[in-house]
Short mmCIF file of all heavy atoms in Angstrom, two decimals:
data_model
loop_
_atom_site.label_atom_id
_atom_site.label_comp_id
_atom_site.label_asym_id
_atom_site.label_seq_id
_atom_site.Cartn_x
_atom_site.Cartn_y
_atom_site.Cartn_z
N GLY C 676 -70.64 39.46 -0.16
CA GLY C 676 -71.09 40.20 -1.40
C GLY C 676 -69.84 41.18 -1.74
O GLY C 676 -68.95 40.75 -2.47
N ASP C 677 -69.90 42.47 -1.30
CA ASP C 677 -68.87 43.33 -1.59
C ASP C 677 -67.77 43.41 -0.40
O ASP C 677 -67.09 44.39 -0.44
CB ASP C 677 -69.48 44.77 -1.81
CG ASP C 677 -70.38 44.80 -3.00
OD1 ASP C 677 -70.09 43.96 -4.02
OD2 ASP C 677 -71.34 45.57 -3.14
N SER C 678 -67.91 42.58 0.43
CA SER C 678 -66.93 42.65 1.58
C SER C 678 -66.58 41.26 2.13
O SER C 678 -67.13 40.24 1.59
CB SER C 678 -67.52 43.51 2.80
OG SER C 678 -68.80 42.89 3.12
N PHE C 679 -65.61 41.24 2.92
CA PHE C 679 -65.11 39.93 3.51
C PHE C 679 -65.05 40.02 5.12
O PHE C 679 -64.87 41.06 5.63
CB PHE C 679 -63.68 39.63 3.18
CG PHE C 679 -63.57 39.05 1.78
CD1 PHE C 679 -62.85 39.64 0.80
CD2 PHE C 679 -64.08 37.73 1.50
CE1 PHE C 679 -62.75 39.08 -0.41
CE2 PHE C 679 -64.03 37.18 0.25
CZ PHE C 679 -63.27 37.77 -0.69
N ILE C 680 -65.33 38.90 5.71
CA ILE C 680 -65.03 38.77 7.11
C ILE C 680 -63.56 38.46 7.25
O ILE C 680 -63.09 37.55 6.59
CB ILE C 680 -65.89 37.60 7.75
CG1 ILE C 680 -67.40 38.00 7.76
CG2 ILE C 680 -65.44 37.38 9.14
CD1 ILE C 680 -68.30 36.85 8.30
N VAL C 681 -62.89 39.15 8.19
CA VAL C 681 -61.44 38.89 8.39
C VAL C 681 -61.38 38.13 9.70
O VAL C 681 -61.78 38.59 10.81
CB VAL C 681 -60.66 40.27 8.53
CG1 VAL C 681 -59.32 39.92 8.95
CG2 VAL C 681 -60.76 40.93 7.24
N GLU C 682 -60.94 36.80 9.65
CA GLU C 682 -60.80 35.97 10.80
C GLU C 682 -59.60 36.45 11.68
O GLU C 682 -59.78 36.34 12.92
CB GLU C 682 -60.64 34.60 10.40
CG GLU C 682 -61.82 34.00 9.53
CD GLU C 682 -63.00 33.74 10.38
OE1 GLU C 682 -62.95 33.87 11.61
OE2 GLU C 682 -64.24 33.53 9.73
N SER C 683 -58.47 36.82 11.14
CA SER C 683 -57.37 37.22 11.96
C SER C 683 -56.48 38.14 10.99
O SER C 683 -56.56 38.19 9.87
CB SER C 683 -56.55 36.03 12.40
OG SER C 683 -56.02 35.27 11.33
N GLY C 684 -55.76 38.98 11.81
CA GLY C 684 -54.77 39.87 11.12
C GLY C 684 -55.06 41.38 11.30
O GLY C 684 -54.21 42.24 11.04
N LEU C 685 -56.34 41.71 11.66
CA LEU C 685 -56.60 43.16 11.99
C LEU C 685 -57.40 43.24 13.24
O LEU C 685 -57.97 42.32 13.69
CB LEU C 685 -57.50 43.59 10.79
CG LEU C 685 -56.93 43.86 9.37
CD1 LEU C 685 -57.97 44.26 8.40
CD2 LEU C 685 -55.86 45.02 9.53
N GLU C 686 -57.22 44.46 13.82
CA GLU C 686 -58.00 44.79 15.02
C GLU C 686 -58.93 45.97 14.74
O GLU C 686 -58.74 46.73 13.84
CB GLU C 686 -56.97 45.21 16.05
CG GLU C 686 -55.91 44.05 16.43
CD GLU C 686 -56.66 42.91 17.18
OE1 GLU C 686 -57.72 43.19 17.80
OE2 GLU C 686 -56.13 41.86 17.11
N GLU C 687 -59.95 45.96 15.50
CA GLU C 687 -60.98 47.03 15.26
C GLU C 687 -60.38 48.37 15.61
O GLU C 687 -59.51 48.59 16.56
CB GLU C 687 -62.14 46.80 16.26
CG GLU C 687 -63.25 47.77 16.15
CD GLU C 687 -64.45 47.54 17.08
OE1 GLU C 687 -64.35 46.64 17.88
OE2 GLU C 687 -65.41 48.26 17.04
N GLY C 688 -60.73 49.39 14.75
CA GLY C 688 -60.13 50.73 14.88
C GLY C 688 -58.96 50.97 14.02
O GLY C 688 -58.55 52.12 13.82
N GLU C 689 -58.20 49.97 13.56
CA GLU C 689 -57.06 50.20 12.61
C GLU C 689 -57.66 50.65 11.32
O GLU C 689 -58.73 50.40 10.90
CB GLU C 689 -56.19 48.87 12.39
CG GLU C 689 -55.50 48.45 13.59
CD GLU C 689 -54.71 47.25 13.30
OE1 GLU C 689 -55.18 46.17 12.87
OE2 GLU C 689 -53.44 47.32 13.46
N GLU C 690 -56.82 51.57 10.66
CA GLU C 690 -57.18 52.24 9.38
C GLU C 690 -56.39 51.55 8.20
O GLU C 690 -55.22 51.42 8.31
CB GLU C 690 -56.92 53.69 9.49
CG GLU C 690 -57.53 54.49 8.30
CD GLU C 690 -57.47 56.05 8.46
OE1 GLU C 690 -56.79 56.36 9.50
OE2 GLU C 690 -57.82 56.72 7.62
N ILE C 691 -57.17 51.10 7.16
CA ILE C 691 -56.61 50.46 6.06
C ILE C 691 -56.89 51.15 4.82
O ILE C 691 -57.85 51.91 4.70
CB ILE C 691 -57.07 49.00 6.02
CG1 ILE C 691 -58.57 48.90 5.73
CG2 ILE C 691 -56.60 48.26 7.25
CD1 ILE C 691 -59.15 47.53 5.61
N ALA C 692 -56.16 50.93 3.82
CA ALA C 692 -56.50 51.37 2.36
C ALA C 692 -57.63 50.58 1.87
O ALA C 692 -57.49 49.34 1.78
CB ALA C 692 -55.28 51.36 1.46
N VAL C 693 -58.60 51.19 1.35
CA VAL C 693 -59.74 50.52 0.74
C VAL C 693 -59.85 50.83 -0.81
O VAL C 693 -60.77 50.25 -1.48
CB VAL C 693 -61.11 50.99 1.43
CG1 VAL C 693 -61.04 50.50 2.82
CG2 VAL C 693 -61.42 52.42 1.34
N ASN C 694 -59.07 51.70 -1.27
CA ASN C 694 -58.99 52.00 -2.70
C ASN C 694 -57.55 52.45 -3.07
O ASN C 694 -56.91 53.08 -2.30
CB ASN C 694 -59.94 53.08 -3.11
CG ASN C 694 -60.08 53.24 -4.56
OD1 ASN C 694 -60.75 52.27 -5.25
ND2 ASN C 694 -59.66 54.23 -5.18
N GLY C 695 -56.98 52.04 -4.27
CA GLY C 695 -55.69 52.32 -4.63
C GLY C 695 -54.65 51.43 -4.00
O GLY C 695 -53.45 51.77 -3.98
N THR C 696 -55.04 50.23 -3.53
CA THR C 696 -54.06 49.34 -2.92
C THR C 696 -53.02 48.85 -3.90
O THR C 696 -51.89 48.63 -3.46
CB THR C 696 -54.81 48.07 -2.29
OG1 THR C 696 -55.73 47.59 -3.28
CG2 THR C 696 -55.63 48.49 -1.08
N PHE C 697 -53.47 48.69 -5.10
CA PHE C 697 -52.40 48.27 -6.18
C PHE C 697 -51.36 49.28 -6.40
O PHE C 697 -50.24 48.96 -6.64
CB PHE C 697 -53.13 47.99 -7.47
CG PHE C 697 -53.51 46.60 -7.59
CD1 PHE C 697 -54.88 46.22 -7.14
CD2 PHE C 697 -52.67 45.52 -7.98
CE1 PHE C 697 -55.28 44.84 -7.19
CE2 PHE C 697 -53.09 44.24 -8.03
CZ PHE C 697 -54.50 43.89 -7.72
N SER C 698 -51.73 50.59 -6.21
CA SER C 698 -50.70 51.70 -6.35
C SER C 698 -49.71 51.62 -5.23
O SER C 698 -48.52 51.82 -5.43
CB SER C 698 -51.40 53.05 -6.42
OG SER C 698 -52.29 53.15 -7.54
N ILE C 699 -50.22 51.35 -3.97
CA ILE C 699 -49.34 51.21 -2.84
C ILE C 699 -48.38 50.08 -3.02
O ILE C 699 -47.23 50.17 -2.77
CB ILE C 699 -50.11 51.09 -1.54
CG1 ILE C 699 -51.04 52.30 -1.29
CG2 ILE C 699 -49.24 51.00 -0.34
CD1 ILE C 699 -52.07 52.14 -0.21
N ASP C 700 -49.02 48.93 -3.50
CA ASP C 700 -48.24 47.73 -3.71
C ASP C 700 -47.08 47.97 -4.75
O ASP C 700 -46.00 47.46 -4.64
CB ASP C 700 -49.05 46.50 -4.03
CG ASP C 700 -48.37 45.30 -3.97
OD1 ASP C 700 -48.16 44.86 -2.89
OD2 ASP C 700 -47.98 44.61 -4.89
N ALA C 701 -47.53 48.72 -5.79
CA ALA C 701 -46.56 48.99 -6.90
C ALA C 701 -45.32 49.83 -6.31
O ALA C 701 -44.16 49.61 -6.65
CB ALA C 701 -47.23 49.67 -8.05
N ALA C 702 -45.60 50.77 -5.43
CA ALA C 702 -44.61 51.60 -4.88
C ALA C 702 -43.69 50.74 -3.96
O ALA C 702 -42.47 50.93 -3.97
CB ALA C 702 -45.22 52.76 -4.05
N ALA C 703 -44.35 49.82 -3.27
CA ALA C 703 -43.59 48.92 -2.45
C ALA C 703 -42.60 48.03 -3.29
O ALA C 703 -41.37 47.83 -3.00
CB ALA C 703 -44.46 48.06 -1.64
N GLN C 704 -43.09 47.51 -4.47
CA GLN C 704 -42.18 46.67 -5.28
C GLN C 704 -41.01 47.56 -5.91
O GLN C 704 -39.90 47.08 -5.96
CB GLN C 704 -43.09 46.17 -6.46
CG GLN C 704 -44.10 45.12 -6.05
CD GLN C 704 -44.83 44.53 -7.20
OE1 GLN C 704 -44.33 44.20 -8.15
NE2 GLN C 704 -46.21 44.38 -6.98
N LEU C 705 -41.38 48.79 -6.32
CA LEU C 705 -40.34 49.58 -6.91
C LEU C 705 -39.21 50.03 -5.88
O LEU C 705 -38.08 50.08 -6.20
CB LEU C 705 -40.91 50.98 -7.44
CG LEU C 705 -41.77 50.73 -8.72
CD1 LEU C 705 -42.42 52.07 -9.11
CD2 LEU C 705 -40.87 50.34 -9.86
N SER C 706 -39.58 50.01 -4.50
CA SER C 706 -38.67 50.42 -3.54
C SER C 706 -37.97 49.19 -2.91
O SER C 706 -37.24 49.31 -1.98
CB SER C 706 -39.27 51.35 -2.51
OG SER C 706 -40.39 50.57 -1.95
N GLY C 707 -38.36 48.06 -3.38
CA GLY C 707 -37.69 46.86 -2.88
C GLY C 707 -38.20 46.38 -1.51
O GLY C 707 -37.56 45.72 -0.79
N LYS C 708 -39.45 46.83 -1.21
CA LYS C 708 -39.93 46.51 0.04
C LYS C 708 -40.96 45.31 0.01
O LYS C 708 -41.20 44.82 -1.11
CB LYS C 708 -40.70 47.67 0.74
CG LYS C 708 -39.86 48.89 0.97
CD LYS C 708 -40.45 50.10 1.51
CE LYS C 708 -39.57 51.21 1.76
NZ LYS C 708 -40.22 52.34 2.46
N ALA C 709 -41.43 44.84 1.16
CA ALA C 709 -42.33 43.73 1.16
C ALA C 709 -43.64 44.09 0.35
O ALA C 709 -44.23 45.15 0.57
CB ALA C 709 -42.72 43.31 2.53
N SER C 710 -44.01 43.22 -0.61
CA SER C 710 -45.18 43.54 -1.45
C SER C 710 -45.97 42.18 -1.53
O SER C 710 -45.60 41.20 -1.00
CB SER C 710 -44.71 44.03 -2.87
OG SER C 710 -43.97 43.05 -3.42
N MET C 711 -47.06 42.31 -2.31
CA MET C 711 -47.97 41.25 -2.51
C MET C 711 -47.31 39.95 -3.12
O MET C 711 -47.40 38.88 -2.60
CB MET C 711 -49.16 41.54 -3.41
CG MET C 711 -50.17 40.48 -3.62
SD MET C 711 -51.56 41.04 -4.57
CE MET C 711 -50.75 41.30 -6.15
N MET C 712 -46.54 40.15 -4.08
CA MET C 712 -45.87 39.02 -4.77
C MET C 712 -44.51 38.75 -4.23
O MET C 712 -43.85 37.65 -4.47
CB MET C 712 -45.72 39.33 -6.22
CG MET C 712 -47.05 39.53 -6.96
SD MET C 712 -48.19 38.15 -6.74
CE MET C 712 -47.28 36.85 -7.59
#
């Protein structure tokens, strides 16, 4: 529904961005760092 099961890539207890992820990705693109695209 509003969430996904993650099969691999994350461990319990890690903290992730749940809102504003596109803003973080835009900052990564502007600074030439690894980004979504």
